[in-house]
Amino acid sequence: MIAARLLRLAAVGTASVGGLSGAAYGLLNEQSRYARRVIGLPGNGPLDADGTYCPEHFGGEAAAAIPPLEFAVLGDSSAAGLGVEVATELPGARLASGLAEELERPVRLRTHAVVGSTTRGLERQIDAVLREPPRLVLVLIGANDVTTRIPVSTSTGLLEQGVARLTGAGVAVVVGTCPDLGVVRPIPQPLRSIARRRSLTLALEQRRAVERSGGHAVPLADLLSPEFLTRPVELFGPDRFHPSAAGYETAAELLLPTLCDAIGAWTGVPVPRAPARSAAVEARRPTRRLVARLNLWWGHRAEN
């Protein structure tokens, strides 16, 4: 499934840069087939960790009378936690546990995420959620929109409509925007650069759409790219495409403060506003690297 989508991405990538030669087109297609062989398929489907999570030291009749906070997770395989082998390591489970500790009350988790989902499939998940509206929703979506070539305007328009439906029903919404597909090393260059450019463009527009519709956006590409680039063995799972348990944990640590803040329950230091583009991600732009090399070259000439 991933490979077929990468092949389609390669095709649209060649068109988007002005119609490359047949040799260049063939190169991208071959790279897509190579990525398919390397990435392969996950060894198992997503686990189920839905249920009620309580603070570690929670008990007594008074505590039992506290109603749980309803928390739902929507999105794609990253929201479902595909590739994790222990249910307690799923992103939803980690976040439900973290919320329970921060709020000192039970949290009931419901997961509606669907592996392979795009933003076009988000409406069905929202329909299911709004049958019993929760207090808080997390949405992780976008990577499949990139690989299936959904136009950015279409993707972000659907996301904005979905978040507006949720916030209009009194639900606090946090969206983890599209990850940086440029950190996936099995995707060779130049196909990886195409995937990276498209994923970062989508992430930026998703953030704007979420904020327009009253939600809270967490720019995962900007915040996580440096970690995944420097610790790929630790943070990627066996397929080298989906995160490992450690990778999901790293993302959960970034999402938890914003989830608490979205319901007015964050008691730590003020949640900082994330940069529009992190310095680490900005430094990886081809133009920035070219300028740095030219500056280095001119510096050597000046010394001589």
Side-chain angles (χ1 to χ4, degrees):
M1 179 173 66
I2 292 170
R5 289 173 175 171
L6 287 170
L7 189 62
R8 289 194 292 271
L9 179 63
V12 76
T14 55
S16 68
V17 293
L20 298 180
S21 67
Y25 182 84
L27 170 64
L28 288 177
N29 282 346
E30 177 57 34
Q31 289 183 335
S32 180
R33 287 189 286 270
Y34 169 80
R36 175 181 57 194
R37 293 193 299 270
V38 173
I39 293 172
L41 296 173
N44 58 278
L47 302 174
D48 182 5
D50 286 5
T52 301
Y53 293 77
C54 297
E56 187 175 349
H57 304 291
F58 190 75
E61 294 182 3
I66 300 175
L69 177 126
E70 300 290 341
F71 171 49
V73 178
L74 316 182
D76 54 24
S77 59
S78 61
L82 185 65
V84 169
E85 297 181 353
V86 179
T88 55
E89 295 176 337
L90 292 171
R94 288 189 182 278
L95 289 167
S97 296
L99 285 166
E101 292 296 332
E102 289 291 337
L103 305 177
E104 297 184 345
R105 63 179 290 189
V107 173
R108 182 177 294 127
L109 170 67
R110 289 185 289 155
T111 304
H112 296 274
V114 176
V115 173
S117 182
T118 68
T119 310
R120 284 176 172 156
L122 195 58
E123 184 178 11
R124 291 190 295 274
Q125 298 181 33
I126 293 173
D127 289 341
V129 162
L130 289 181
R131 294 188 188 113
E132 296 181 43
R135 178 68 183 91
L136 179 63
V137 161
L138 169 68
V139 181
L140 299 175
I141 200 87
N144 294 318
D145 292 60
V146 174
T147 58
T148 56
R149 301 178 298 160
I150 296 176
V152 170
S153 59
T154 300
S155 179
T156 54
L158 291 170
L159 180 61
E160 186 170 353
Q161 293 170 19
V163 173
R165 284 185 64 196
L166 291 166
T167 57
V171 179
V173 182
V174 174
V175 177
T177 57
C178 183
D180 179 3
L181 296 183
V183 304
V184 182
R185 296 296 177 85
I187 304 176
Q189 295 288 15
L191 179 57
R192 195 191 323 156
S193 292
I194 295 171
R196 177 179 176 274
R197 183 176 68 250
R198 290 180 174 274
S199 59
L200 292 181
T201 298
L202 176 59
L204 180 60
E205 294 304 318
Q206 281 182 322
R207 181 176 179 177
R208 293 170 176 167
V210 169
E211 292 175 350
R212 284 195 301 266
S213 52
H216 302 255
V218 180
L220 295 180
D222 295 309
L223 298 173
L224 288 177
S225 289
E227 294 289 336
F228 277 79
L229 282 168
T230 56
R231 300 159 57 197
V233 175
E234 178 185 357
L235 298 183
F236 279 109
D239 66 0
R240 299 174 61 194
F241 186 87
H242 295 91
S244 64
Y248 284 120
E249 181 180 16
T250 302
E253 290 173 352
L254 292 173
L255 291 164
L256 181 59
T258 303
L259 287 168
C260 292
D261 188 53
I263 56 174
W266 180 246
T267 57
V269 298
V271 177
R273 179 172 173 80
R277 188 186 294 273
S278 71
V281 173
E282 182 72 13
R284 295 173 57 226
R285 293 177 61 186
T287 54
R288 179 62 59 87
R289 293 198 300 269
L290 176 60
V291 169
R293 291 193 185 102
L294 288 173
N295 287 337
L296 182 62
W297 180 72
W298 280 111
H300 285 315
R301 282 180 59 90
E303 290 175 1
N304 296 331

